[in-house]
């Protein structure tokens, strides 16, 4: 199998076949031997219907042992898998899958069968693939071939399909294992939707290290159920967005068995974790990471320390991991000096292959720059940031989070940070609504205590002491809970609709 995730999984099958591989809801489980046998049956049935090297197979299934076996089975055929979240509405599901090559195979479970219908792809029920011979399947997987394809948000409203190679994914997961000394005792829980890029490592990292992957079979994230399973099973790792972590640690008395929470995908709000860290001294368990789906999800990492909890500065996202590189470029694609803000660009083995069926966007985002005497392929993230005096990357937000209000360009993140500096405010999200000269800024807030009342006129006055008038929001609304996307991030689109 070469240097592939499947090869690492098979080594654990050989060395510890009776260890628990996957467990559902803290109850039903399969061993590495049983999971391998099930994935063998799936792989053989897939090859019999013509699935193999060069193919991309979409999978639209709820979290289950069968889902994990399906992903492994697809990889064993030499094909790549493309996870699709079944919680999406039918229109979005079909819109996603129709971006894959024509006549691609889509595997569905009973709950998703009627939601997936198109002349562009073939559909098969997962139940039709689980019977047959358990014998190992012998496929030579090229590390340069595609491993998985995930879909990420597009500015046009149509998701973009991002392709990742086996060698890139193997490089990242083996770095996780060696750098954090993960072994068969580091069980992990999947808390994000399966279509999210962070979910790919959340699923496979424990299977590479020989540990147990814990699943919740509910279609939507249930933090109360997740906390109960986490505590009863003494799970030690999480890979999730910060907004999911906040829900997991509500009440502070939770996640006591945690060794590492690998968090990324959105800015970390220190106010949401300070009390939990203070009570349990858990700050060293939080690994703040930065990356994008186009670059195998993780490019940098930073381990929080006690000083971070006392600082008002933005928490860094660290230094490059797994032999990746970070370059900060100005508008002319020249590297800026440390401390100067520019566009964050990623280089190294984590880079993906680009976007399927979108050569124009691939050419726009995956470019080459000259560094010294070398020409280096980079990915332009569209995020901006700088390297601080300690050599750590600090991410300031999206380039497209800059908006023009009455002709003046502003950064919504600056307003959010000013709001969070005001005593009592825990979370602040600012959105702009309207068009042209009729645009307005709307702030959505949560407080550290539900009983705390926010005087909006006083809030405006306090902000005006820190911000120019054109950056002071027009409206304010206090929320008990922020809406989340299926990936566990704060759903800005829904907030914009609410503000409209």
């Amino acid at each position: 199998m070469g240097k592939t995730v499947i090869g690492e999984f098979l080594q654990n099958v050989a060395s510890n076949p009776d260890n628990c591989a996957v467990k559902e809801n803290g109850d039903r489980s399969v061993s590495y031997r049983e999971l391998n046998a099930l994935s063998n049956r799936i792989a053989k049935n897939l090859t019999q219907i013509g699935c193999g090297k060069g193919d991309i197979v979409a999978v639209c299934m709820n979290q289950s042992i069968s889902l994990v076996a399906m992903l492994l089975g697809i990889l064993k055929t030499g094909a790549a898998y493309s996870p699709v979240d079944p919680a999406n509405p039918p229109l979005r599901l079909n819109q996603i899958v129709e971006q894959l090559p024509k006549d691609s195979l889509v595997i569905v479970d009973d709950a998703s069968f009627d939601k997936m219908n198109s002349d562009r792809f073939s559909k098969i029920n997962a139940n039709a693939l689980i019977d047959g011979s358990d014998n190992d399947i012998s496929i030579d997987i090229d590390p340069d071939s595609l491993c998985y394809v995930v879909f990420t948000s597009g500015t046009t409203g149509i998701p973009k399909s991002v392709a990742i190679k086996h060698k890139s994914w193997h490089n990242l997961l083996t770095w996780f294992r060696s750098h954090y000394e993960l072994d068969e005792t580091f069980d992990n829980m999947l808390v994000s939707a399966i279509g999210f890029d962070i979910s790919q490592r959340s699923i496979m990292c424990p299977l590479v290290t020989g540990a147990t992957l814990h699943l919740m079979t509910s279609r939507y994230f249930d933090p109360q159920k997740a906390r109960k399973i986490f505590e009863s099973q003494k799970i030690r790792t999480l890979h999730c967005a910060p907004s999911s972590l906040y829900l997991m640690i509500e009440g502070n008395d939770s996640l006591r068995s945690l060794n590492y929470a690998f968090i990324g995908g959105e800015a970390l709000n220190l106010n949401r974790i300070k009390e939990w860290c203070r009570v349990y001294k858990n700050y060293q368990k939080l690994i703040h990471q930065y990356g994008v789906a186009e670059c195998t999800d993780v490019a940098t990492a930073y381990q929080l320390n006690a000083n971070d909890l006392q600082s008002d500065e933005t928490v860094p996202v660290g230094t490059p991991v797994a032999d990746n590189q970070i370059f900060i470029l100005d508008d002319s694609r020249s590297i800026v000096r440390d401390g100067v803000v520019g566009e964050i660009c990623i280089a190294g083995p984590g880079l993906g292959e680009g976007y399927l069926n979108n050569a124009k966007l691939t050419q726009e985002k995956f470019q080459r720059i000259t560094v010294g005497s070398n020409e280096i392929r980079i990915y332009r993230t569209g995020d901006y940031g700088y390297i601080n005096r300690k050599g750590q990357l600090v991410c300031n937000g999206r380039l497209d989070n800059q908006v023009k209000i009455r002709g003046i360009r502003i950064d919504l993140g600056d307003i959010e940070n000013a709001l969070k500096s005001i005593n009592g405010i825990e979370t602040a999200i600012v959105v702009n609504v309207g068009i042209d000269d009729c645009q307005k800024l709307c702030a959505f807030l949560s407080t550290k205590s539900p009983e705390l009342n926010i005087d909006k006129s006083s809030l405006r006055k306090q902000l005006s002491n820190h911000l120019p008038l054109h950056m002071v929001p027009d409206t304010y609304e206090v929320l008990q809970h922020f809406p989340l996307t299926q990936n566990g991030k704060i759903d800005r689109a829904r907030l914009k609709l609410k503000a409209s």
Side-chain angles (χ1 to χ4, degrees):
M1 293 288 183
K3 291 186 175 182
T4 66
V5 170
I6 280 292
E8 301 291 343
F9 167 73
L10 291 176
Q11 286 186 22
N12 288 317
V13 173
S15 58
N16 295 292
D18 295 320
N19 282 8
C20 180
V22 185
K23 183 176 284 191
E24 294 178 353
N25 301 323
D27 185 14
R28 178 173 175 256
S29 65
V30 292
S31 67
Y32 272 83
R33 178 191 287 111
E34 292 167 330
L35 182 61
N36 185 52
L38 179 55
S39 65
N40 283 341
R41 295 198 295 272
I42 290 169
K44 288 181 179 179
N45 286 322
L46 285 172
T47 57
Q48 288 177 3
I49 59 176
C51 177
K53 293 182 179 181
D55 292 327
I56 301 172
V57 181
V59 180
C60 185
M61 299 172 61
N62 287 327
Q63 289 190 26
S64 64
I65 291 169
S66 295
L67 166 66
V68 179
M70 194 65 62
L71 303 183
L72 293 171
I74 292 168
L75 293 177
K76 285 183 176 183
T77 70
Y81 75 81
S82 181
V84 183
D85 185 5
N88 281 308
L91 180 63
R92 178 120 175 137
L93 287 174
N94 289 282
Q95 185 184 55
I96 288 172
V97 176
E98 286 178 353
Q99 293 186 61
L100 297 177
K102 195 175 187 304
D103 298 325
S104 291
L105 180 65
V106 179
I107 300 173
V108 295
D109 56 15
D110 291 337
S112 303
F113 192 85
D114 291 333
K115 298 176 69 174
M116 304 288 289
N117 294 287
S118 173
D119 294 335
R120 281 189 53 84
F121 56 76
S122 302
K123 181 174 66 173
I124 187 170
N125 194 306
N127 293 331
L129 300 171
I130 61 175
D131 294 327
S133 169
D134 292 350
N135 296 333
D136 286 334
I137 182 169
S138 179
I139 297 289
D140 183 22
I141 298 176
D142 183 357
D144 278 311
S145 63
L146 292 188
C147 181
Y148 68 79
V149 173
V150 291
F151 290 86
T152 186
S153 300
T155 55
T156 62
I158 299 175
K160 302 171 294 186
S161 51
V162 179
I164 300 297
K165 285 184 174 181
H166 274 278
K167 64 181 182 182
S168 298
W169 203 28
H170 179 270
N171 177 69
L172 178 68
L173 293 188
T174 53
W175 174 83
F176 264 102
R177 181 178 61 192
S178 61
H179 188 80
Y180 297 105
E181 298 182 343
L182 304 179
D183 58 25
E184 67 275 6
T185 67
F186 281 83
D187 288 6
N188 181 66
M189 172 177 278
L190 176 65
V191 298
S192 302
I194 66 163
F196 193 23
D197 51 348
I198 202 171
S199 295
Q200 309 323 304
R201 60 178 159 97
S202 187
I203 290 171
M204 292 299 179
C205 204
L207 300 182
V208 165
T209 62
T212 302
L213 169 66
H214 292 263
L215 305 174
M216 294 181 294
T217 55
S218 51
R219 176 165 289 194
Y220 299 98
F221 176 52
D222 182 342
Q224 187 174 0
K225 181 179 179 180
R227 285 194 296 269
K228 183 177 179 181
I229 295 173
F230 201 99
E231 296 290 349
S232 68
Q233 301 299 309
K234 296 181 171 54
I235 296 168
R236 299 178 68 184
T237 65
L238 275 176
H239 299 256
C240 63
S243 293
S244 296
L245 179 67
Y246 306 150
L247 295 174
M248 291 283 287
I249 63 174
E250 275 189 353
N252 298 318
D253 185 22
S254 56
L255 310 193
R256 283 167 290 185
S257 60
L258 181 70
N259 279 81
Y260 293 114
F262 302 106
I263 49 179
E266 62 183 357
L268 175 64
N269 184 345
L270 279 178
N271 289 332
R272 299 294 299 270
I273 64 170
K274 279 184 177 179
E275 183 63 17
W276 180 69
C277 289
R278 185 190 67 80
V279 172
Y280 293 104
K281 303 294 187 292
N282 282 329
Y283 51 84
Q284 290 182 318
K285 299 178 178 180
L286 301 181
I287 312 298
H288 196 206
Q289 299 180 320
Y290 171 77
V292 291
E294 289 85 348
C295 299
T296 328
D297 188 30
V298 180
T300 70
Y302 176 80
Q303 190 164 5
L304 267 70
N305 59 61
N307 292 332
D308 294 317
L309 301 179
Q310 310 304 321
S311 173
D312 292 329
E313 296 182 358
T314 302
V315 180
V317 288
T319 54
V321 305
D323 296 323
N324 290 307
Q325 296 172 283
I326 293 291
F327 298 100
I328 309 296
L329 304 185
D330 61 19
D331 291 341
S332 62
R333 293 198 307 168
S334 297
I335 298 174
V336 303
R337 67 180 185 276
D338 288 356
V340 175
V341 173
E343 183 176 7
I344 301 171
C345 298
I346 303 173
L351 261 66
E353 282 306 285
Y355 303 102
L356 290 179
N357 306 317
N358 197 334
K360 181 179 179 182
L361 185 60
T362 298
Q363 186 176 16
E364 174 187 328
K365 302 293 285 185
F366 291 85
Q367 298 185 358
R368 293 185 178 275
I369 62 170
T370 300
V371 180
S373 59
N374 298 318
E375 189 177 65
I376 296 177
R377 182 172 178 257
I378 62 167
Y379 173 74
R380 300 183 60 177
T381 66
D383 295 325
Y384 66 105
Y386 62 94
I387 304 298
N388 67 15
R389 60 185 179 276
K390 295 182 179 179
Q392 307 278 356
L393 174 64
V394 178
C395 186
N396 285 18
R398 292 288 301 168
L399 292 175
D400 49 23
N401 206 34
Q402 294 183 341
V403 299
K404 274 192 175 183
I405 303 292
R406 292 176 285 278
I408 304 174
R409 184 168 294 281
I410 62 175
D411 188 326
L412 299 180
D414 288 342
I415 307 173
E416 292 168 355
N417 288 332
L419 282 164
K420 286 185 288 188
S421 70
I422 295 174
N423 188 38
I425 293 179
E426 186 171 59
T427 302
I429 298 295
V430 178
V431 299
N432 64 306
V433 296
I435 58 173
D436 300 329
D437 292 337
C438 296
Q439 287 192 83
K440 65 177 182 177
L441 295 172
C442 305
F444 292 90
L445 313 171
S446 71
T447 59
K448 295 178 181 178
S449 171
E451 294 78 25
L452 183 65
N453 291 319
I454 296 292
D455 184 331
K456 295 173 185 177
S457 60
S458 174
L459 194 59
R460 286 181 59 86
K461 185 176 180 180
Q462 290 183 72
L463 279 179
S464 64
N465 292 329
H466 299 278
L467 298 172
L469 186 60
H470 67 270
M471 293 180 68
V472 176
D474 301 278
T475 65
Y476 304 85
E477 183 173 348
V478 177
L479 302 177
Q480 289 294 104
H481 298 285
F482 280 84
L484 301 183
T485 67
Q486 292 161 352
N487 296 339
K489 300 179 184 179
I490 291 177
D491 195 333
R492 289 178 177 267
R494 285 173 64 185
L495 291 178
K496 292 192 74 165
L497 286 174
K498 187 177 179 66
S500 299

